Amino acid sequence: MTADGEGGGEKSKFRWLDAARYEVAAAVTVLIMAVIVNAVKVVLRPDSLQLSVDKGSIFTAQYPPQLIMELKLRAQNPSGQVRMFYVSVTGYLFDNTTSASASLDPGYDSVVIFKPKDMAVVQQEALDCSLGMKVVREKQMDPSHFDVLYNGSSFSDMTLRLDGDLITEVTSELNMTRRTTYYCEELLVGGNGDDEAFKYRQDAICKQRRATN
Ligand SMILES: *[C@@H]1O[C@H](CO)[C@@H](O)[C@H](O)[C@H]1NC(C)=O
Ligand SMILES: *[C@@H]1O[C@H](CO)[C@@H](O)[C@H](O)[C@H]1NC(C)=O
Ligand SMILES: *[C@@H]1O[C@H](CO)[C@@H](O)[C@H](O)[C@H]1NC(C)=O
């Protein structure tokens, strides 16, 4: 009886050891999985392209009978490993009475449309893209906004929404493409870039939202 009891004790001790071993093995497996998943994430989803609008402003000038609009977009690639591209981009400028993110028809809801050039940004570099456009009254911009800007006044709270394809070059043979939208908010639109008012304005960092798919 005593022997049985001891034997049982020995057995359960071994069972406990086995269970502990399984637990350690499981924990190690989970750890290895986590390391692999993170490594894949780092390769496939490195820090993303960062966009900003220089001085948080879009400048305007009269070019009778047109209005000239100018801005500088800065694209920064924080990744040390991959090249990034932002291509097929359309920019929509919204005034503060319309939600840039809720709009399902930005071409219709926005004040004016920009067509930025494709951007290619190498590892850990920044690229400045100057954007200029001549705007015709009524054709490209409704009179209520056009007249304010044409007459030299400004809007203090506009949002530039950028819709484009963000391409990450994972390897020299593999590109990952994602439809990506950026929102550059609280832009000052209107006025001459040499004005004192613009001198100390900070760049507007654009917020990114990836399409869910
Ligand atoms: C603003 O500009 C328009 C032309 O776009 C002109 O007809 C109008 O008189 C101007 N208004 C003011 C207040 O200067
Ligand atoms: C929207 O913009 C206009 C023109 O810049 C400004 O007068 C108004 O106060 C703004 N409204 C809000 C809610 O920020
Ligand atoms: C990735 O996309 C860029 C931009 O479109 C292109 O220049 C490059 O050749 C592509 N690379 C691959 C491997 O397809």
Side-chain angles (χ1 to χ4, degrees), residues 137 146-148 150-151:
R137 193 178 191 266
F146 184 96
D147 290 347
V148 169
Y150 190 82
N151 291 343

Side-chain angles (χ1 to χ4, degrees), residues 85-100:
F85 308 86
Y86 194 43
V87 302
S88 309
V89 185
T90 306
Y92 305 94
L93 188 64
F94 285 85
D95 73 11
N96 63 2
T97 63
T98 316
S99 163

Side-chain angles (χ1 to χ4, degrees), residues 96 155-157:
N96 63 2
F155 294 96
S156 59
D157 184 15

Side-chain angles (χ1 to χ4, degrees), residues 30-103:
V30 167
L31 194 70
I32 290 172
M33 295 284 282
V35 168
I36 291 173
V37 166
N38 271 327
V40 169
K41 257 196 215 153
V42 166
V43 173
L44 293 184
R45 298 183 58 162
D47 298 335
S48 199
L49 192 69
Q50 291 164 5
L51 294 183
S52 55
V53 175
D54 187 50
K55 292 198 179 345
S57 305
I58 299 178
F59 305 116
T60 57
Q62 277 191 359
Y63 187 77
Q66 296 163 337
L67 171 74
I68 292 182
M69 297 185 85
E70 282 175 331
L71 68 131
K72 203 194 284 170
L73 262 182
R74 183 165 300 126
Q76 276 176 281
N77 179 354
S79 167
Q81 279 130 42
V82 296
R83 284 201 295 169
M84 294 183 193
F85 308 86
Y86 194 43
V87 302
S88 309
V89 185
T90 306
Y92 305 94
L93 188 64
F94 285 85
D95 73 11
N96 63 2
T97 63
T98 316
S99 163
S101 53
S103 171

Side-chain angles (χ1 to χ4, degrees), residues 10-28:
E10 287 277 283
K11 249 184 216 159
S12 63
K13 200 166 154 197
F14 277 121
R15 240 179 260 133
W16 181 86
L17 268 179
D18 275 346
R21 235 177 258 142
Y22 281 127
E23 250 166 60
V24 168
V28 168

